Structure formats: structure tokens, C-alpha cells
Amino acid sequence: HGATVWRVPDEFLALVDAEEGWRPYLLNFRYTVLDLGQIDDRQLSRQPNLRAWLLAAKYATRDGQQIQVKELLVEALVGVSYEDFRFLMRYVVETYRSYDERMVREIIRRVRPEEEMTMMSLFAQEMITKGKQEGRQEGRQEGRQEGRQEGEAALLLRLLQRRFGTVPTWANGKIANADLPTLEAWSLRFVDAQSLDEVFAVRM
């Protein structure tokens, strides 16, 4: 299910690095290679759970198409069991680089709204880790990140801007002067916060 057409062998011996003289004595068999990219999204499977898994897998490496396939993914997720839904959403959180926290929350809300808070809490650490990785990658590319603390601060600021819009001066000041543990605590609060005040509230 890669982003390009598969060109892989369909027999075992093609994968074995052996001297030519040994090849007649080695076990060989053929197997079926299924390229999901060549199958229409609505024809992947008639079985709801399997169709949802195949659809999610098909676009896991196709970053440029993940946003467009969101509606189809939501439609497929409606028909899956609760356990499959949880595992599928974890898979999406870990592999769909185009899906931010807001989009993941929207999908959960549309498919199983009663599970929104529980599942977002379960995925909090994965999403923060994913954000850190993306933040570090952007930092390396742009030459702006200098150390873990600066990366954490930059990530938190981007998340706040994405959800709440322009970040006020007082919040920028708090982020600029905070130590690493405080920044990490604010990042965790961000997952469920409905306002800037909830992110920076002093906890007793």
C-alpha cells in the first residue's frame, strides 16, 4: 500500500540471496501480492471492519491525499466494531501526518461522540510525541530549533495558534520563560483545554 505502484517479486526465491548452484535445492513458492493502490476505495472489501482497515492502510503513506479521503474514512469507520475503531484511530494518529489534533477529534466526534474525551485522553501522548517529531523535523529544515526546550516551546506555540488563533503577549511571555517540565505539562493540558486560560491555569 505504498505511495507508488509496487514492483516486487511474487516468488520466494527472488528474495533469497543464495549462490546459483544452491538454488535448485532451495524451497520455492509463489504468493499473491495485492497492491491496494490499484483498487478503488469502495471496492476494497465488502466486510466493514476489513474495508476500514484496508482504506486506512492504503493512505497511510500518501500524505498528499489524506485530507481528501477523510470523508470516506469517516464513512468506513461508522461500520466498524468499537475495538476496531479504537485500534484504527490509534493507527491513524500514528501514521497520518496530515491529521492534526483537531481533525482526529472531529473524526471521533462524528463516529462515536460518546468516546471523544476517553479516546482523546488515550491518544494524548501519541499526538504530543508526533507533534514533537514534526516540530523537530521542521526545526532542522528551517534551522530555528536549538535544543529540546526551544523545540517544545515552538511546538506548544504552534498548537495554540492552530486552535485558538493569535496567541496574546502574556501567553507568549509565559512560554518563552517556562522550563521544560512546565512546557510539557502545558502540552498535555492542551489536548482537552477549551481556552488559553485552561492551558496555563495554576494547578494546586
mmCIF file of all heavy atoms in Angstrom, residues 163-201:
data_model
loop_
_atom_site.group_PDB
_atom_site.id
_atom_site.type_symbol
_atom_site.label_atom_id
_atom_site.label_comp_id
_atom_site.label_asym_id
_atom_site.label_seq_id
_atom_site.Cartn_x
_atom_site.Cartn_y
_atom_site.Cartn_z
ATOM 1 N N ARG A 163 -5.320 26.182 17.266
ATOM 2 C CA ARG A 163 -6.642 26.021 17.877
ATOM 3 C C ARG A 163 -7.288 27.349 18.245
ATOM 4 O O ARG A 163 -8.484 27.551 18.035
ATOM 5 C CB ARG A 163 -6.560 25.142 19.125
ATOM 6 C CG ARG A 163 -7.934 24.954 19.784
ATOM 7 C CD ARG A 163 -7.881 24.108 21.026
ATOM 8 N NE ARG A 163 -7.555 22.732 20.736
ATOM 9 C CZ ARG A 163 -7.441 21.791 21.681
ATOM 10 N NH1 ARG A 163 -7.623 22.108 22.952
ATOM 11 N NH2 ARG A 163 -7.143 20.551 21.355
ATOM 12 N N PHE A 164 -6.511 28.283 18.823
ATOM 13 C CA PHE A 164 -7.106 29.495 19.386
ATOM 14 C C PHE A 164 -6.833 30.758 18.572
ATOM 15 O O PHE A 164 -7.302 31.837 18.930
ATOM 16 C CB PHE A 164 -6.601 29.705 20.820
ATOM 17 C CG PHE A 164 -6.890 28.558 21.744
ATOM 18 C CD1 PHE A 164 -5.868 27.827 22.320
ATOM 19 C CD2 PHE A 164 -8.199 28.201 22.022
ATOM 20 C CE1 PHE A 164 -6.131 26.768 23.173
ATOM 21 C CE2 PHE A 164 -8.479 27.141 22.881
ATOM 22 C CZ PHE A 164 -7.443 26.414 23.452
ATOM 23 N N GLY A 165 -6.065 30.623 17.499
ATOM 24 C CA GLY A 165 -5.750 31.809 16.703
ATOM 25 C C GLY A 165 -4.550 32.550 17.273
ATOM 26 O O GLY A 165 -3.632 31.948 17.823
ATOM 27 N N THR A 166 -4.542 33.864 17.146
ATOM 28 C CA THR A 166 -3.417 34.671 17.619
ATOM 29 C C THR A 166 -3.202 34.493 19.121
ATOM 30 O O THR A 166 -4.138 34.609 19.910
ATOM 31 C CB THR A 166 -3.662 36.161 17.319
ATOM 32 O OG1 THR A 166 -3.852 36.326 15.911
ATOM 33 C CG2 THR A 166 -2.463 36.998 17.764
ATOM 34 N N VAL A 167 -1.965 34.190 19.497
ATOM 35 C CA VAL A 167 -1.634 33.989 20.908
ATOM 36 C C VAL A 167 -1.259 35.340 21.518
ATOM 37 O O VAL A 167 -0.371 36.027 21.006
ATOM 38 C CB VAL A 167 -0.464 32.997 21.061
ATOM 39 C CG1 VAL A 167 -0.075 32.834 22.529
ATOM 40 C CG2 VAL A 167 -0.845 31.645 20.460
ATOM 41 N N PRO A 168 -1.916 35.751 22.610
ATOM 42 C CA PRO A 168 -1.644 37.065 23.206
ATOM 43 C C PRO A 168 -0.237 37.163 23.787
ATOM 44 O O PRO A 168 0.424 36.159 24.047
ATOM 45 C CB PRO A 168 -2.710 37.185 24.301
ATOM 46 C CG PRO A 168 -3.099 35.779 24.615
ATOM 47 C CD PRO A 168 -2.973 35.025 23.331
ATOM 48 N N THR A 169 0.182 38.404 24.033
ATOM 49 C CA THR A 169 1.534 38.667 24.519
ATOM 50 C C THR A 169 1.815 37.965 25.840
ATOM 51 O O THR A 169 2.898 37.413 26.051
ATOM 52 C CB THR A 169 1.746 40.182 24.683
ATOM 53 O OG1 THR A 169 1.506 40.820 23.426
ATOM 54 C CG2 THR A 169 3.163 40.485 25.138
ATOM 55 N N TRP A 170 0.839 37.957 26.749
ATOM 56 C CA TRP A 170 1.072 37.349 28.060
ATOM 57 C C TRP A 170 1.354 35.855 27.946
ATOM 58 O O TRP A 170 2.189 35.312 28.678
ATOM 59 C CB TRP A 170 -0.098 37.606 28.998
ATOM 60 C CG TRP A 170 -1.406 36.970 28.599
ATOM 61 C CD1 TRP A 170 -2.413 37.547 27.892
ATOM 62 C CD2 TRP A 170 -1.830 35.628 28.885
ATOM 63 N NE1 TRP A 170 -3.455 36.661 27.711
ATOM 64 C CE2 TRP A 170 -3.120 35.475 28.321
ATOM 65 C CE3 TRP A 170 -1.258 34.562 29.561
ATOM 66 C CZ2 TRP A 170 -3.834 34.281 28.408
ATOM 67 C CZ3 TRP A 170 -1.974 33.370 29.654
ATOM 68 C CH2 TRP A 170 -3.243 33.237 29.082
ATOM 69 N N ALA A 171 0.674 35.183 26.989
ATOM 70 C CA ALA A 171 0.900 33.748 26.808
ATOM 71 C C ALA A 171 2.257 33.493 26.161
ATOM 72 O O ALA A 171 2.980 32.563 26.531
ATOM 73 C CB ALA A 171 -0.216 33.149 25.959
ATOM 74 N N ASN A 172 2.630 34.334 25.198
ATOM 75 C CA ASN A 172 3.956 34.221 24.591
ATOM 76 C C ASN A 172 5.048 34.367 25.641
ATOM 77 O O ASN A 172 6.060 33.661 25.620
ATOM 78 C CB ASN A 172 4.135 35.289 23.504
ATOM 79 C CG ASN A 172 3.615 34.833 22.152
ATOM 80 O OD1 ASN A 172 4.175 33.948 21.527
ATOM 81 N ND2 ASN A 172 2.529 35.444 21.705
ATOM 82 N N GLY A 173 4.832 35.308 26.561
ATOM 83 C CA GLY A 173 5.817 35.521 27.617
ATOM 84 C C GLY A 173 5.962 34.316 28.522
ATOM 85 O O GLY A 173 7.078 33.941 28.912
ATOM 86 N N LYS A 174 4.837 33.705 28.876
ATOM 87 C CA LYS A 174 4.878 32.512 29.724
ATOM 88 C C LYS A 174 5.653 31.388 29.042
ATOM 89 O O LYS A 174 6.474 30.703 29.663
ATOM 90 C CB LYS A 174 3.451 32.049 30.050
ATOM 91 C CG LYS A 174 2.754 32.843 31.141
ATOM 92 C CD LYS A 174 1.364 32.284 31.393
ATOM 93 C CE LYS A 174 0.716 32.942 32.609
ATOM 94 N NZ LYS A 174 1.373 32.528 33.872
ATOM 95 N N ILE A 175 5.387 31.190 27.758
ATOM 96 C CA ILE A 175 6.060 30.121 27.016
ATOM 97 C C ILE A 175 7.557 30.394 26.919
ATOM 98 O O ILE A 175 8.389 29.497 27.098
ATOM 99 C CB ILE A 175 5.440 29.983 25.612
ATOM 100 C CG1 ILE A 175 4.000 29.473 25.723
ATOM 101 C CG2 ILE A 175 6.268 29.044 24.736
ATOM 102 C CD1 ILE A 175 3.234 29.485 24.419
ATOM 103 N N ALA A 176 7.916 31.639 26.644
ATOM 104 C CA ALA A 176 9.323 31.991 26.478
ATOM 105 C C ALA A 176 10.123 31.805 27.765
ATOM 106 O O ALA A 176 11.322 31.491 27.722
ATOM 107 C CB ALA A 176 9.441 33.434 25.991
ATOM 108 N N ASN A 177 9.472 31.968 28.911
ATOM 109 C CA ASN A 177 10.184 31.918 30.189
ATOM 110 C C ASN A 177 10.010 30.599 30.941
ATOM 111 O O ASN A 177 10.578 30.424 32.022
ATOM 112 C CB ASN A 177 9.705 33.064 31.089
ATOM 113 C CG ASN A 177 10.078 34.429 30.521
ATOM 114 O OD1 ASN A 177 11.224 34.648 30.132
ATOM 115 N ND2 ASN A 177 9.121 35.337 30.451
ATOM 116 N N ALA A 178 9.247 29.676 30.380
ATOM 117 C CA ALA A 178 8.966 28.420 31.086
ATOM 118 C C ALA A 178 10.108 27.423 30.928
ATOM 119 O O ALA A 178 10.809 27.409 29.910
ATOM 120 C CB ALA A 178 7.670 27.816 30.561
ATOM 121 N N ASP A 179 10.263 26.557 31.941
ATOM 122 C CA ASP A 179 11.252 25.487 31.830
ATOM 123 C C ASP A 179 10.622 24.289 31.114
ATOM 124 O O ASP A 179 9.419 24.269 30.830
ATOM 125 C CB ASP A 179 11.791 25.082 33.208
ATOM 126 C CG ASP A 179 10.688 24.652 34.166
ATOM 127 O OD1 ASP A 179 9.578 24.315 33.696
ATOM 128 O OD2 ASP A 179 10.929 24.649 35.379
ATOM 129 N N LEU A 180 11.429 23.279 30.829
ATOM 130 C CA LEU A 180 10.962 22.145 30.037
ATOM 131 C C LEU A 180 9.810 21.381 30.693
ATOM 132 O O LEU A 180 8.809 21.093 30.023
ATOM 133 C CB LEU A 180 12.130 21.199 29.739
ATOM 134 C CG LEU A 180 11.808 19.996 28.846
ATOM 135 C CD1 LEU A 180 11.254 20.444 27.500
ATOM 136 C CD2 LEU A 180 13.058 19.145 28.650
ATOM 137 N N PRO A 181 9.880 21.029 31.995
ATOM 138 C CA PRO A 181 8.748 20.309 32.608
ATOM 139 C C PRO A 181 7.435 21.083 32.525
ATOM 140 O O PRO A 181 6.367 20.496 32.316
ATOM 141 C CB PRO A 181 9.199 20.124 34.064
ATOM 142 C CG PRO A 181 10.691 20.140 33.999
ATOM 143 C CD PRO A 181 11.014 21.146 32.942
ATOM 144 N N THR A 182 7.506 22.407 32.685
ATOM 145 C CA THR A 182 6.292 23.220 32.606
ATOM 146 C C THR A 182 5.726 23.209 31.193
ATOM 147 O O THR A 182 4.512 23.085 30.991
ATOM 148 C CB THR A 182 6.590 24.668 33.037
ATOM 149 O OG1 THR A 182 7.098 24.666 34.378
ATOM 150 C CG2 THR A 182 5.335 25.522 32.980
ATOM 151 N N LEU A 183 6.596 23.323 30.204
ATOM 152 C CA LEU A 183 6.148 23.287 28.809
ATOM 153 C C LEU A 183 5.481 21.956 28.485
ATOM 154 O O LEU A 183 4.450 21.909 27.802
ATOM 155 C CB LEU A 183 7.337 23.522 27.868
ATOM 156 C CG LEU A 183 7.926 24.932 27.863
ATOM 157 C CD1 LEU A 183 9.257 24.949 27.122
ATOM 158 C CD2 LEU A 183 6.956 25.923 27.227
ATOM 159 N N GLU A 184 6.053 20.866 28.984
ATOM 160 C CA GLU A 184 5.469 19.550 28.735
ATOM 161 C C GLU A 184 4.111 19.414 29.416
ATOM 162 O O GLU A 184 3.178 18.808 28.861
ATOM 163 C CB GLU A 184 6.429 18.460 29.208
ATOM 164 C CG GLU A 184 7.681 18.355 28.345
ATOM 165 C CD GLU A 184 8.669 17.334 28.847
ATOM 166 O OE1 GLU A 184 8.641 17.018 30.060
ATOM 167 O OE2 GLU A 184 9.469 16.842 28.040
ATOM 168 N N ALA A 185 3.983 19.966 30.619
ATOM 169 C CA ALA A 185 2.701 19.919 31.331
ATOM 170 C C ALA A 185 1.639 20.708 30.570
ATOM 171 O O ALA A 185 0.488 20.267 30.441
ATOM 172 C CB ALA A 185 2.867 20.473 32.744
ATOM 173 N N TRP A 186 2.001 21.862 30.044
ATOM 174 C CA TRP A 186 1.052 22.668 29.268
ATOM 175 C C TRP A 186 0.640 21.942 27.990
ATOM 176 O O TRP A 186 -0.511 22.021 27.568
ATOM 177 C CB TRP A 186 1.662 24.024 28.943
ATOM 178 C CG TRP A 186 1.761 24.947 30.127
ATOM 179 C CD1 TRP A 186 1.082 24.850 31.307
ATOM 180 C CD2 TRP A 186 2.596 26.099 30.241
ATOM 181 N NE1 TRP A 186 1.441 25.869 32.149
ATOM 182 C CE2 TRP A 186 2.368 26.662 31.532
ATOM 183 C CE3 TRP A 186 3.513 26.717 29.401
ATOM 184 C CZ2 TRP A 186 3.025 27.807 31.975
ATOM 185 C CZ3 TRP A 186 4.173 27.863 29.845
ATOM 186 C CH2 TRP A 186 3.928 28.399 31.118
ATOM 187 N N SER A 187 1.583 21.236 27.368
ATOM 188 C CA SER A 187 1.263 20.489 26.148
ATOM 189 C C SER A 187 0.238 19.402 26.433
ATOM 190 O O SER A 187 -0.664 19.150 25.630
ATOM 191 C CB SER A 187 2.538 19.868 25.562
ATOM 192 O OG SER A 187 3.426 20.864 25.106
ATOM 193 N N LEU A 188 0.354 18.751 27.586
ATOM 194 C CA LEU A 188 -0.616 17.726 27.960
ATOM 195 C C LEU A 188 -1.991 18.340 28.228
ATOM 196 O O LEU A 188 -3.020 17.795 27.826
ATOM 197 C CB LEU A 188 -0.135 16.970 29.203
ATOM 198 C CG LEU A 188 0.985 15.947 28.975
ATOM 199 C CD1 LEU A 188 1.510 15.428 30.303
ATOM 200 C CD2 LEU A 188 0.487 14.789 28.115
ATOM 201 N N ARG A 189 -2.017 19.482 28.896
ATOM 202 C CA ARG A 189 -3.296 20.150 29.165
ATOM 203 C C ARG A 189 -3.973 20.599 27.871
ATOM 204 O O ARG A 189 -5.197 20.644 27.780
ATOM 205 C CB ARG A 189 -3.077 21.376 30.053
ATOM 206 C CG ARG A 189 -2.710 21.066 31.486
ATOM 207 C CD ARG A 189 -2.659 22.366 32.268
ATOM 208 N NE ARG A 189 -1.872 22.245 33.479
ATOM 209 C CZ ARG A 189 -1.487 23.279 34.211
ATOM 210 N NH1 ARG A 189 -1.830 24.501 33.844
ATOM 211 N NH2 ARG A 189 -0.771 23.099 35.299
ATOM 212 N N PHE A 190 -3.163 20.955 26.890
ATOM 213 C CA PHE A 190 -3.702 21.475 25.631
ATOM 214 C C PHE A 190 -4.690 20.507 24.989
ATOM 215 O O PHE A 190 -5.669 20.919 24.363
ATOM 216 C CB PHE A 190 -2.546 21.749 24.658
ATOM 217 C CG PHE A 190 -2.990 21.984 23.241
ATOM 218 C CD1 PHE A 190 -3.443 23.227 22.835
ATOM 219 C CD2 PHE A 190 -2.982 20.946 22.313
ATOM 220 C CE1 PHE A 190 -3.872 23.440 21.535
ATOM 221 C CE2 PHE A 190 -3.410 21.148 21.014
ATOM 222 C CZ PHE A 190 -3.857 22.405 20.624
ATOM 223 N N VAL A 191 -4.456 19.202 25.157
ATOM 224 C CA VAL A 191 -5.278 18.199 24.480
ATOM 225 C C VAL A 191 -6.759 18.386 24.774
ATOM 226 O O VAL A 191 -7.605 18.302 23.885
ATOM 227 C CB VAL A 191 -4.822 16.776 24.881
ATOM 228 C CG1 VAL A 191 -5.752 15.735 24.288
ATOM 229 C CG2 VAL A 191 -3.393 16.538 24.432
ATOM 230 N N ASP A 192 -7.106 18.679 26.041
ATOM 231 C CA ASP A 192 -8.512 18.802 26.423
ATOM 232 C C ASP A 192 -8.944 20.234 26.723
ATOM 233 O O ASP A 192 -10.123 20.474 27.008
ATOM 234 C CB ASP A 192 -8.799 17.934 27.657
ATOM 235 C CG ASP A 192 -8.646 16.453 27.356
ATOM 236 O OD1 ASP A 192 -9.114 16.013 26.296
ATOM 237 O OD2 ASP A 192 -8.049 15.753 28.182
ATOM 238 N N ALA A 193 -8.019 21.173 26.657
ATOM 239 C CA ALA A 193 -8.340 22.557 27.023
ATOM 240 C C ALA A 193 -9.281 23.199 26.010
ATOM 241 O O ALA A 193 -9.155 23.005 24.804
ATOM 242 C CB ALA A 193 -7.057 23.375 27.133
ATOM 243 N N GLN A 194 -10.217 23.979 26.521
ATOM 244 C CA GLN A 194 -11.161 24.701 25.672
ATOM 245 C C GLN A 194 -10.809 26.184 25.561
ATOM 246 O O GLN A 194 -11.463 26.922 24.824
ATOM 247 C CB GLN A 194 -12.582 24.556 26.226
ATOM 248 C CG GLN A 194 -13.064 23.117 26.297
ATOM 249 C CD GLN A 194 -13.068 22.440 24.940
ATOM 250 O OE1 GLN A 194 -13.571 23.008 23.968
ATOM 251 N NE2 GLN A 194 -12.501 21.250 24.851
ATOM 252 N N SER A 195 -9.790 26.618 26.306
ATOM 253 C CA SER A 195 -9.378 28.018 26.261
ATOM 254 C C SER A 195 -7.911 28.118 26.659
ATOM 255 O O SER A 195 -7.341 27.188 27.243
ATOM 256 C CB SER A 195 -10.230 28.867 27.212
ATOM 257 O OG SER A 195 -9.950 28.519 28.561
ATOM 258 N N LEU A 196 -7.305 29.272 26.370
ATOM 259 C CA LEU A 196 -5.920 29.508 26.777
ATOM 260 C C LEU A 196 -5.784 29.480 28.294
ATOM 261 O O LEU A 196 -4.788 28.988 28.833
ATOM 262 C CB LEU A 196 -5.443 30.860 26.230
ATOM 263 C CG LEU A 196 -5.043 30.907 24.755
ATOM 264 C CD1 LEU A 196 -4.800 32.343 24.330
ATOM 265 C CD2 LEU A 196 -3.794 30.069 24.515
ATOM 266 N N ASP A 197 -6.775 30.010 28.987
ATOM 267 C CA ASP A 197 -6.717 30.039 30.451
ATOM 268 C C ASP A 197 -6.612 28.631 31.030
ATOM 269 O O ASP A 197 -5.919 28.412 32.028
ATOM 270 C CB ASP A 197 -7.949 30.749 31.014
ATOM 271 C CG ASP A 197 -7.915 32.249 30.757
ATOM 272 O OD1 ASP A 197 -6.797 32.796 30.614
ATOM 273 O OD2 ASP A 197 -8.992 32.865 30.696
ATOM 274 N N GLU A 198 -7.291 27.668 30.408
ATOM 275 C CA GLU A 198 -7.235 26.295 30.905
ATOM 276 C C GLU A 198 -5.857 25.685 30.695
ATOM 277 O O GLU A 198 -5.407 24.855 31.478
ATOM 278 C CB GLU A 198 -8.298 25.438 30.207
ATOM 279 C CG GLU A 198 -9.713 25.769 30.625
ATOM 280 C CD GLU A 198 -10.724 24.830 29.996
ATOM 281 O OE1 GLU A 198 -10.339 23.721 29.575
ATOM 282 O OE2 GLU A 198 -11.901 25.208 29.908
ATOM 283 N N VAL A 199 -5.171 26.093 29.644
ATOM 284 C CA VAL A 199 -3.824 25.579 29.393
ATOM 285 C C VAL A 199 -2.854 26.068 30.461
ATOM 286 O O VAL A 199 -2.046 25.305 31.001
ATOM 287 C CB VAL A 199 -3.322 26.006 27.998
ATOM 288 C CG1 VAL A 199 -1.868 25.572 27.801
ATOM 289 C CG2 VAL A 199 -4.202 25.414 26.905
ATOM 290 N N PHE A 200 -2.948 27.358 30.799
ATOM 291 C CA PHE A 200 -1.961 27.967 31.692
ATOM 292 C C PHE A 200 -2.430 28.087 33.146
ATOM 293 O O PHE A 200 -1.719 28.658 33.969
ATOM 294 C CB PHE A 200 -1.594 29.362 31.175
ATOM 295 C CG PHE A 200 -0.946 29.346 29.822
ATOM 296 C CD1 PHE A 200 -1.643 29.748 28.689
ATOM 297 C CD2 PHE A 200 0.357 28.915 29.674
ATOM 298 C CE1 PHE A 200 -1.050 29.731 27.439
ATOM 299 C CE2 PHE A 200 0.965 28.900 28.423
ATOM 300 C CZ PHE A 200 0.257 29.302 27.304
ATOM 301 N N ALA A 201 -3.589 27.540 33.451
ATOM 302 C CA ALA A 201 -4.120 27.668 34.808
ATOM 303 C C ALA A 201 -3.159 27.071 35.827
ATOM 304 O O ALA A 201 -2.537 26.029 35.593
ATOM 305 C CB ALA A 201 -5.479 26.978 34.910
#
